[in-house]
Amino acid sequence: MKEIRFIAALFSSLTLLSGFVFIGFIFYIDISSPLNIILTVFVLFLGIIASGLLFKMMLRRGVISVMSGTYASYDLDELEPNSTSNILKCKPKELVELFQVKKLEYARGLSVSIWGDQVGRKLDVKHTLKAISYDDSLETLTIIFSDFCRLKIVKPNLVLSTKSYLKVVKAKEIIWETNLNEEEGKFYHYKNNGKKIETASNTSWKPHCFDTGIGIQALYMQG
């Protein structure tokens, strides 16, 4: 699996680099010297940096994840779903009601992505929904799973649900808790300060720079 990811990431990054090489070649033959050399070197330099970052990100997050909607901007999510789509747009309280009438059933469970962070700490494990509640006074949506894991989403905004995923597009804070059956559970705190995602934990965990992004949907749970 790692070998396939490496090959796919290498191919994607080389494809990106070839685009920069082509642009540099056009500059070199179409622009008079010495400006053509300067521009060509500059474009190639940008290409090496961009392709290198893409390669590292794909190795870290996976090729499909980088290229798919789980890492995409949430701008399109703000559009109203049309009548023929299976996307249900609801408020936190309405989500609780959907769960209570058993309209939120994901037979294969749900994996968790928090502002793009989705690998390790049981995020990439399939979880079964056990309970959902919303506290008006705290503006907090709580999702409890049957394997002693819990999500707390502070000030959730724009909740979307389909048969294959559940997402909260925007939020102020998200707390991911695991091992709640043990004496001291583990928590991972994510906070959107408007400029970046701040994190904290009672473990030694520190996120990689590619793990989270402020422009990514706050919570994405894939069925």
mmCIF file of all heavy atoms in Angstrom, residues 121-122 127 145 147-150 176-188 202-203:
data_model
loop_
_atom_site.group_PDB
_atom_site.id
_atom_site.type_symbol
_atom_site.label_atom_id
_atom_site.label_comp_id
_atom_site.label_asym_id
_atom_site.label_seq_id
_atom_site.Cartn_x
_atom_site.Cartn_y
_atom_site.Cartn_z
ATOM 1 N N ARG A 121 -4.944 8.268 15.845
ATOM 2 C CA ARG A 121 -5.771 8.640 16.998
ATOM 3 C C ARG A 121 -7.226 8.215 16.825
ATOM 4 O O ARG A 121 -8.140 8.905 17.243
ATOM 5 C CB ARG A 121 -5.676 10.152 17.264
ATOM 6 C CG ARG A 121 -4.333 10.584 17.822
ATOM 7 C CD ARG A 121 -4.006 12.036 17.548
ATOM 8 N NE ARG A 121 -3.661 12.220 16.144
ATOM 9 C CZ ARG A 121 -4.352 12.981 15.319
ATOM 10 N NH1 ARG A 121 -5.412 13.630 15.736
ATOM 11 N NH2 ARG A 121 -3.974 13.097 14.062
ATOM 12 N N LYS A 122 -7.412 7.075 16.145
ATOM 13 C CA LYS A 122 -8.721 6.462 15.889
ATOM 14 C C LYS A 122 -9.605 7.291 14.960
ATOM 15 O O LYS A 122 -10.794 7.001 14.816
ATOM 16 C CB LYS A 122 -9.461 6.181 17.205
ATOM 17 C CG LYS A 122 -8.732 5.201 18.115
ATOM 18 C CD LYS A 122 -9.578 4.810 19.314
ATOM 19 C CE LYS A 122 -8.839 3.800 20.186
ATOM 20 N NZ LYS A 122 -9.656 3.378 21.350
ATOM 21 N N HIS A 127 -16.483 4.193 13.169
ATOM 22 C CA HIS A 127 -17.178 4.292 14.453
ATOM 23 C C HIS A 127 -18.690 4.208 14.243
ATOM 24 O O HIS A 127 -19.216 4.733 13.261
ATOM 25 C CB HIS A 127 -16.851 5.621 15.139
ATOM 26 C CG HIS A 127 -15.387 5.887 15.294
ATOM 27 N ND1 HIS A 127 -14.651 5.419 16.356
ATOM 28 C CD2 HIS A 127 -14.518 6.569 14.502
ATOM 29 C CE1 HIS A 127 -13.392 5.808 16.222
ATOM 30 N NE2 HIS A 127 -13.284 6.504 15.109
ATOM 31 N N PHE A 145 -19.884 7.812 20.199
ATOM 32 C CA PHE A 145 -19.768 6.564 19.447
ATOM 33 C C PHE A 145 -19.738 5.374 20.408
ATOM 34 O O PHE A 145 -19.430 5.519 21.594
ATOM 35 C CB PHE A 145 -18.509 6.580 18.584
ATOM 36 C CG PHE A 145 -18.470 7.708 17.586
ATOM 37 C CD1 PHE A 145 -17.753 8.866 17.860
ATOM 38 C CD2 PHE A 145 -19.159 7.629 16.390
ATOM 39 C CE1 PHE A 145 -17.715 9.921 16.953
ATOM 40 C CE2 PHE A 145 -19.138 8.674 15.478
ATOM 41 C CZ PHE A 145 -18.412 9.819 15.764
ATOM 42 N N ASP A 147 -17.705 2.971 20.640
ATOM 43 C CA ASP A 147 -16.382 2.454 21.011
ATOM 44 C C ASP A 147 -15.639 3.417 21.937
ATOM 45 O O ASP A 147 -14.419 3.526 21.883
ATOM 46 C CB ASP A 147 -15.548 2.156 19.766
ATOM 47 C CG ASP A 147 -15.388 3.375 18.863
ATOM 48 O OD1 ASP A 147 -16.060 4.396 19.116
ATOM 49 O OD2 ASP A 147 -14.592 3.307 17.911
ATOM 50 N N PHE A 148 -16.388 4.127 22.780
ATOM 51 C CA PHE A 148 -15.820 5.014 23.801
ATOM 52 C C PHE A 148 -15.044 6.191 23.202
ATOM 53 O O PHE A 148 -14.023 6.614 23.737
ATOM 54 C CB PHE A 148 -14.922 4.223 24.761
ATOM 55 C CG PHE A 148 -15.610 3.055 25.399
ATOM 56 C CD1 PHE A 148 -15.367 1.765 24.952
ATOM 57 C CD2 PHE A 148 -16.533 3.242 26.423
ATOM 58 C CE1 PHE A 148 -16.013 0.680 25.526
ATOM 59 C CE2 PHE A 148 -17.189 2.164 27.000
ATOM 60 C CZ PHE A 148 -16.932 0.883 26.553
ATOM 61 N N CYS A 149 -15.560 6.701 22.096
ATOM 62 C CA CYS A 149 -15.024 7.919 21.491
ATOM 63 C C CYS A 149 -16.137 8.964 21.452
ATOM 64 O O CYS A 149 -17.321 8.621 21.402
ATOM 65 C CB CYS A 149 -14.504 7.655 20.077
ATOM 66 S SG CYS A 149 -13.057 6.571 20.013
ATOM 67 N N ARG A 150 -15.744 10.238 21.453
ATOM 68 C CA ARG A 150 -16.753 11.299 21.491
ATOM 69 C C ARG A 150 -16.246 12.548 20.775
ATOM 70 O O ARG A 150 -15.067 12.886 20.835
ATOM 71 C CB ARG A 150 -17.085 11.636 22.942
ATOM 72 C CG ARG A 150 -18.100 12.770 23.126
ATOM 73 C CD ARG A 150 -18.550 12.859 24.579
ATOM 74 N NE ARG A 150 -17.433 13.098 25.482
ATOM 75 C CZ ARG A 150 -17.483 12.907 26.800
ATOM 76 N NH1 ARG A 150 -18.596 12.443 27.361
ATOM 77 N NH2 ARG A 150 -16.420 13.153 27.560
ATOM 78 N N TRP A 176 -11.983 16.051 20.120
ATOM 79 C CA TRP A 176 -12.053 14.624 19.813
ATOM 80 C C TRP A 176 -11.508 13.859 21.016
ATOM 81 O O TRP A 176 -10.371 14.067 21.429
ATOM 82 C CB TRP A 176 -11.243 14.324 18.565
ATOM 83 C CG TRP A 176 -11.039 12.882 18.213
ATOM 84 C CD1 TRP A 176 -9.847 12.234 18.073
ATOM 85 C CD2 TRP A 176 -12.047 11.904 17.909
ATOM 86 N NE1 TRP A 176 -10.040 10.924 17.702
ATOM 87 C CE2 TRP A 176 -11.391 10.696 17.603
ATOM 88 C CE3 TRP A 176 -13.444 11.940 17.881
ATOM 89 C CZ2 TRP A 176 -12.082 9.534 17.270
ATOM 90 C CZ3 TRP A 176 -14.134 10.774 17.547
ATOM 91 C CH2 TRP A 176 -13.456 9.600 17.246
ATOM 92 N N GLU A 177 -12.341 13.004 21.594
ATOM 93 C CA GLU A 177 -11.956 12.251 22.781
ATOM 94 C C GLU A 177 -11.983 10.758 22.490
ATOM 95 O O GLU A 177 -12.917 10.254 21.862
ATOM 96 C CB GLU A 177 -12.909 12.564 23.935
ATOM 97 C CG GLU A 177 -12.906 14.034 24.348
ATOM 98 C CD GLU A 177 -13.993 14.345 25.354
ATOM 99 O OE1 GLU A 177 -15.169 14.408 24.940
ATOM 100 O OE2 GLU A 177 -13.671 14.508 26.543
ATOM 101 N N THR A 178 -10.968 10.062 22.967
ATOM 102 C CA THR A 178 -10.886 8.612 22.781
ATOM 103 C C THR A 178 -10.587 7.941 24.120
ATOM 104 O O THR A 178 -10.232 8.603 25.096
ATOM 105 C CB THR A 178 -9.772 8.246 21.782
ATOM 106 O OG1 THR A 178 -8.495 8.624 22.324
ATOM 107 C CG2 THR A 178 -9.972 8.955 20.445
ATOM 108 N N ASN A 179 -10.742 6.625 24.135
ATOM 109 C CA ASN A 179 -10.434 5.827 25.331
ATOM 110 C C ASN A 179 -11.184 6.321 26.571
ATOM 111 O O ASN A 179 -10.630 6.378 27.671
ATOM 112 C CB ASN A 179 -8.924 5.838 25.607
ATOM 113 C CG ASN A 179 -8.103 5.332 24.439
ATOM 114 O OD1 ASN A 179 -7.810 6.082 23.518
ATOM 115 N ND2 ASN A 179 -7.744 4.059 24.470
ATOM 116 N N LEU A 180 -12.450 6.677 26.397
ATOM 117 C CA LEU A 180 -13.232 7.196 27.517
ATOM 118 C C LEU A 180 -13.562 6.116 28.548
ATOM 119 O O LEU A 180 -14.030 6.429 29.642
ATOM 120 C CB LEU A 180 -14.529 7.828 26.994
ATOM 121 C CG LEU A 180 -14.338 9.090 26.136
ATOM 122 C CD1 LEU A 180 -15.671 9.568 25.599
ATOM 123 C CD2 LEU A 180 -13.664 10.190 26.940
ATOM 124 N N ASN A 181 -13.322 4.867 28.200
ATOM 125 C CA ASN A 181 -13.549 3.771 29.144
ATOM 126 C C ASN A 181 -12.370 3.583 30.099
ATOM 127 O O ASN A 181 -12.456 2.810 31.050
ATOM 128 C CB ASN A 181 -13.801 2.465 28.393
ATOM 129 C CG ASN A 181 -12.660 2.107 27.444
ATOM 130 O OD1 ASN A 181 -12.046 2.985 26.846
ATOM 131 N ND2 ASN A 181 -12.379 0.824 27.307
ATOM 132 N N GLU A 182 -11.286 4.305 29.857
ATOM 133 C CA GLU A 182 -10.120 4.215 30.722
ATOM 134 C C GLU A 182 -10.144 5.323 31.772
ATOM 135 O O GLU A 182 -10.909 6.284 31.666
ATOM 136 C CB GLU A 182 -8.837 4.310 29.881
ATOM 137 C CG GLU A 182 -8.704 3.180 28.860
ATOM 138 C CD GLU A 182 -7.453 3.316 28.007
ATOM 139 O OE1 GLU A 182 -6.680 4.274 28.236
ATOM 140 O OE2 GLU A 182 -7.261 2.472 27.118
ATOM 141 N N GLU A 183 -9.298 5.186 32.780
ATOM 142 C CA GLU A 183 -9.284 6.149 33.884
ATOM 143 C C GLU A 183 -8.984 7.558 33.395
ATOM 144 O O GLU A 183 -9.575 8.532 33.858
ATOM 145 C CB GLU A 183 -8.245 5.721 34.930
ATOM 146 C CG GLU A 183 -8.245 6.596 36.175
ATOM 147 C CD GLU A 183 -7.307 6.078 37.244
ATOM 148 O OE1 GLU A 183 -6.880 4.900 37.159
ATOM 149 O OE2 GLU A 183 -6.996 6.845 38.171
ATOM 150 N N GLU A 184 -8.067 7.663 32.460
ATOM 151 C CA GLU A 184 -7.732 8.967 31.891
ATOM 152 C C GLU A 184 -7.834 8.881 30.375
ATOM 153 O O GLU A 184 -6.946 8.358 29.705
ATOM 154 C CB GLU A 184 -6.324 9.404 32.300
ATOM 155 C CG GLU A 184 -5.978 10.812 31.831
ATOM 156 C CD GLU A 184 -4.621 11.279 32.326
ATOM 157 O OE1 GLU A 184 -4.046 10.605 33.197
ATOM 158 O OE2 GLU A 184 -4.144 12.315 31.840
ATOM 159 N N GLY A 185 -8.937 9.380 29.851
ATOM 160 C CA GLY A 185 -9.118 9.362 28.409
ATOM 161 C C GLY A 185 -8.196 10.360 27.720
ATOM 162 O O GLY A 185 -7.572 11.209 28.361
ATOM 163 N N LYS A 186 -8.127 10.252 26.414
ATOM 164 C CA LYS A 186 -7.282 11.152 25.635
ATOM 165 C C LYS A 186 -8.159 12.167 24.906
ATOM 166 O O LYS A 186 -9.228 11.822 24.408
ATOM 167 C CB LYS A 186 -6.462 10.351 24.623
ATOM 168 C CG LYS A 186 -5.544 9.323 25.272
ATOM 169 C CD LYS A 186 -4.831 8.481 24.225
ATOM 170 C CE LYS A 186 -3.943 7.430 24.882
ATOM 171 N NZ LYS A 186 -3.265 6.573 23.885
ATOM 172 N N PHE A 187 -7.703 13.409 24.865
ATOM 173 C CA PHE A 187 -8.457 14.407 24.120
ATOM 174 C C PHE A 187 -7.533 15.167 23.173
ATOM 175 O O PHE A 187 -6.341 15.347 23.432
ATOM 176 C CB PHE A 187 -9.185 15.382 25.061
ATOM 177 C CG PHE A 187 -8.291 16.416 25.711
ATOM 178 C CD1 PHE A 187 -7.919 17.573 25.029
ATOM 179 C CD2 PHE A 187 -7.832 16.238 27.002
ATOM 180 C CE1 PHE A 187 -7.102 18.527 25.621
ATOM 181 C CE2 PHE A 187 -7.013 17.186 27.605
ATOM 182 C CZ PHE A 187 -6.646 18.331 26.909
ATOM 183 N N TYR A 188 -8.130 15.610 22.065
ATOM 184 C CA TYR A 188 -7.418 16.371 21.042
ATOM 185 C C TYR A 188 -8.300 17.565 20.691
ATOM 186 O O TYR A 188 -9.398 17.398 20.168
ATOM 187 C CB TYR A 188 -7.143 15.494 19.817
ATOM 188 C CG TYR A 188 -6.473 14.190 20.183
ATOM 189 C CD1 TYR A 188 -7.237 13.049 20.465
ATOM 190 C CD2 TYR A 188 -5.095 14.100 20.293
ATOM 191 C CE1 TYR A 188 -6.635 11.856 20.831
ATOM 192 C CE2 TYR A 188 -4.482 12.905 20.657
ATOM 193 C CZ TYR A 188 -5.259 11.791 20.929
ATOM 194 O OH TYR A 188 -4.655 10.612 21.300
ATOM 195 N N ASN A 202 -3.849 16.271 25.824
ATOM 196 C CA ASN A 202 -3.231 15.771 27.053
ATOM 197 C C ASN A 202 -2.257 14.636 26.749
ATOM 198 O O ASN A 202 -1.843 13.898 27.637
ATOM 199 C CB ASN A 202 -4.296 15.307 28.048
ATOM 200 C CG ASN A 202 -5.124 14.144 27.513
ATOM 201 O OD1 ASN A 202 -5.083 13.834 26.321
ATOM 202 N ND2 ASN A 202 -5.876 13.504 28.393
ATOM 203 N N THR A 203 -1.901 14.510 25.468
ATOM 204 C CA THR A 203 -0.900 13.536 25.028
ATOM 205 C C THR A 203 0.278 14.295 24.405
ATOM 206 O O THR A 203 0.296 15.522 24.379
ATOM 207 C CB THR A 203 -1.487 12.571 23.983
ATOM 208 O OG1 THR A 203 -1.703 13.286 22.750
ATOM 209 C CG2 THR A 203 -2.811 11.988 24.460
#
